[in-house]
Amino acid sequence: MKAKRKNVIAIILGGGQGSRLYPLTETRSKPAVPIGGKYRLVDIPISNCMNSDIYRMFVLTQFNSASLNAHIKNTYTFSAFSQAFVDILAAEQTPDNPTWFQGTADAVRQCMPHFLNHDFDYALILSGDQLYQMDFNDMIEEHIKNEADITIATLPVNDKDAPEFGILKTDDKSCISAFIEKPAAELLPNWKSDVSEEMKAQGKNYLASMGIYIFNKKLLVDLMTNSETKDFGKEIIPQAVGVNKILSYQYEGYWTDIGNIDSFFEANIGLTDDVPQFNLFDNDNKIYTRPRMLPPSKFHKTMIDKSLISEGCILNAKEINKSVIGIRSRIGEDSVIQNCYVMGSDFYQSIENINEDLKNNVNLIGIGERCFIKNALIDKNCRIGNDVYINGGSHLENTSNPLYAVKDGIVVIKKGAIIPNGFSIK
């Protein structure tokens, strides 16, 4: 039985405007983006904390935070006799801080008075847009055992991926001796670190920062007095190398940064693999989310293969293949869905409302009849008519309009979009 982590607070960074995840972030913050059919991105770091017995969490955000507020309020309610909480801290103007968050470190600095209202020895700083499962207890124990000032979770990566990350170099005691942000390929030979034999066999010889940090409380408070530093990855960590004792905690499990539409789409479709890298079916690493009390999903003459189907769906489709179908999804007869993430709906239409829409030739919420949709991401509450043909792929150019966007060949139908009968994207 793991001891309760009463000496740790978790600070989850909600990210900036999330422009690379547009149009999913057009009306919601990045941590509020639905993932896996029934979860939100913010559920991942919160669940990792809860599975590590860390129950005091702050989520820092400043863009489109209404739906994130609602999700956290409706999901993470703890006993009145418990000290557990998940609090949203949105950017706020104060006499000392008249501006919005200017970066990850600036966000922590501006919220520091709220953190200091609680007793803690260590601050665990996490990103709100990553997909992974980690027991933070191991990382915290290594931090304490090695008497580190800062511990950074690091991921072995190969030559191809290394230029996309902050790369760290370690000494024989796993302490970080040097740091470089997104190194050019020709510099990489000088940045190899000691990794496991398994990682070496895969050509993963470089340690990338995962953006997961543990700070001793006193050091964090001291660092936050310098208002000139705005970002952890670009300023705080590089400036601390050689000054503070920084430990590298190597993690070799599945981890992906949900930075853009392509990585978000692949992470979701990857959940349909026979043995997915991110395991939703794990008793020891549950992913928590809002309990919605939805009915079971209902199928009629539907062939389903390698797909995840969430609760409360009404599916009359002909075929659903390698797709994630979100809560309350409705798909009409003879429709074919391939390699798609359909986010579903926030509510059901009443019988009266359905009859009214049919009478007025208005598309119902969901996907109509005889549709073919492939390589697409369909946001919530969309009304897709009958005989719609959408064939995403590399043959399509990037574009954006009021109804949909195309990014890296993935067609993204925008939240609440009304797609007319016979509409086609080829």
Side-chain angles (χ1 to χ4, degrees):
M1 178 70 180
K2 294 175 288 190
K4 291 287 183 184
R5 284 289 174 189
K6 295 180 179 179
N7 59 346
V8 179
I9 63 166
I11 301 167
I12 299 168
L13 303 171
Q17 197 164 354
S19 55
R20 290 191 299 154
L21 267 181
Y22 178 88
L24 300 180
T25 50
E26 189 171 18
T27 60
R28 57 168 81 90
S29 63
K30 209 187 315 187
V33 172
I35 190 167
K38 59 177 287 183
Y39 309 100
R40 305 259 187 168
L41 272 174
V42 76
D43 292 329
I44 306 303
I46 290 176
S47 297
N48 280 326
C49 286
M50 291 173 66
N51 291 328
S52 304
D53 287 309
I54 298 168
Y55 282 93
R56 296 185 297 164
M57 292 164 267
F58 296 91
V59 181
L60 278 50
T61 186
Q62 66 182 347
F63 288 97
N64 289 333
S65 56
S67 63
L68 181 65
N69 273 315
H71 175 72
I72 286 178
K73 176 177 71 71
N74 292 325
T75 305
Y76 299 102
T77 14
F78 300 101
S79 164
F81 301 100
S82 163
Q83 293 184 330
F85 62 83
V86 181
D87 281 355
I88 293 262
L89 295 180
E92 57 183 355
Q93 287 187 322
T94 68
D96 296 327
N97 293 300
T99 62
W100 280 31
F101 300 152
Q102 303 298 305
T104 54
D106 188 58
V108 171
R109 177 183 301 107
Q110 291 197 34
C111 295
M112 188 60 72
H114 300 289
F115 308 146
L116 294 178
N117 286 331
H118 300 268
D119 290 329
F120 66 98
D121 297 320
Y122 309 102
L124 173 66
I125 299 178
L126 308 171
S127 172
D129 55 358
Q130 298 174 347
L131 190 63
Y132 65 104
Q133 289 166 310
M134 181 190 289
D135 186 345
F136 297 127
N137 283 295
D138 295 338
M139 184 176 173
I140 294 166
E141 290 303 326
E142 286 296 309
H143 177 86
I144 295 170
K145 184 177 77 175
N146 288 277
E147 298 181 339
D149 298 315
I150 305 169
T151 296
I152 302 177
T154 56
L155 184 79
V157 295
N158 58 27
D159 300 65
K160 179 188 172 190
D161 294 334
E164 300 299 315
F165 292 95
I167 298 297
L168 310 156
K169 197 168 184 178
T170 56
D171 61 20
D172 57 359
K173 295 181 180 178
S174 294
C175 287
I176 293 164
S177 56
F179 175 92
I180 185 170
E181 180 74 14
K182 297 184 177 180
E186 58 269 19
L187 297 176
L188 287 179
N190 297 320
W191 285 87
K192 290 184 177 180
S193 286
D194 187 27
V195 296
S196 69
E197 292 302 319
E198 183 182 352
M199 293 295 104
K200 284 179 184 175
Q202 297 176 32
K204 296 180 177 180
N205 297 300
Y206 311 97
L207 290 178
S209 169
M210 296 168 63
I212 296 172
Y213 314 110
I214 297 172
F215 280 83
N216 290 344
K217 176 183 177 180
K218 184 179 184 307
L219 176 60
L220 184 64
V221 171
D222 290 345
L223 289 171
M224 292 300 103
T225 59
N226 181 4
S227 60
E228 298 301 312
T229 52
K230 307 296 184 187
D231 195 84
F232 282 105
K234 294 175 183 174
E235 294 165 292
I236 296 281
I237 299 303
Q239 290 169 16
V241 172
V243 178
N244 302 105
K245 185 175 182 180
I246 310 177
L247 185 71
S248 162
Y249 175 79
Q250 281 193 44
Y251 173 76
E252 296 183 359
Y254 173 75
W255 176 91
T256 186
D257 183 20
I258 309 290
N260 53 41
I261 291 293
D262 183 47
S263 61
F264 176 80
F265 185 74
E266 289 304 317
N268 279 283
I269 299 302
L271 297 173
T272 68
D273 291 344
D274 289 340
V275 183
Q277 291 178 286
F278 186 85
N279 184 10
L280 293 171
F281 303 87
D282 185 342
N283 285 325
D284 296 324
N285 289 289
K286 294 186 179 77
I287 306 300
Y288 298 94
T289 194
R290 178 181 173 186
R292 297 179 178 87
M293 314 307 175
L294 290 171
S297 288
K298 182 167 65 173
F299 309 89
H300 179 66
K301 296 182 179 179
T302 303
M303 194 282 285
I304 300 174
D305 186 38
K306 288 191 176 180
S307 297
L308 293 182
I309 311 296
S310 303
E311 310 102 306
C313 298
I314 301 172
L315 305 176
N316 298 321
K318 178 182 178 181
E319 176 189 331
I320 298 174
N321 183 41
K322 203 161 179 61
S323 296
V324 177
I325 307 299
I327 54 172
R328 303 188 192 89
S329 291
R330 183 194 65 81
I331 304 177
E333 290 184 9
D334 293 322
S335 287
V336 175
I337 310 296
Q338 296 179 355
N339 211 56
C340 290
Y341 177 18
V342 180
M343 288 189 179
S345 302
D346 289 317
F347 55 90
Y348 290 116
Q349 288 188 276
S350 66
I351 297 296
E352 294 77 16
N353 187 246
I354 288 172
N355 289 334
E356 185 71 17
D357 281 351
L358 291 173
K359 177 181 172 183
N360 296 317
N361 292 318
V362 175
N363 292 342
L364 304 180
I365 292 179
I367 298 171
E369 299 177 355
R370 300 176 302 279
C371 296
F372 177 86
I373 304 178
K374 183 177 181 180
N375 297 329
L377 201 165
I378 299 172
D379 208 333
K380 283 194 168 184
N381 306 331
C382 291
R383 297 171 181 256
I384 296 177
N386 300 326
D387 303 297
V388 168
Y389 184 93
I390 297 174
N391 184 27
S394 56
H395 61 283
L396 297 176
E397 293 183 1
N398 287 355
T399 187
S400 182
N401 61 55
L403 291 181
Y404 69 92
V406 177
K407 286 195 170 184
D408 299 318
I410 301 158
V411 178
V412 185
I413 306 297
K414 295 186 178 182
K415 186 177 181 181
I418 301 174
I419 306 296
N421 294 338
F423 184 84
S424 179
I425 302 174
K426 296 183 178 180

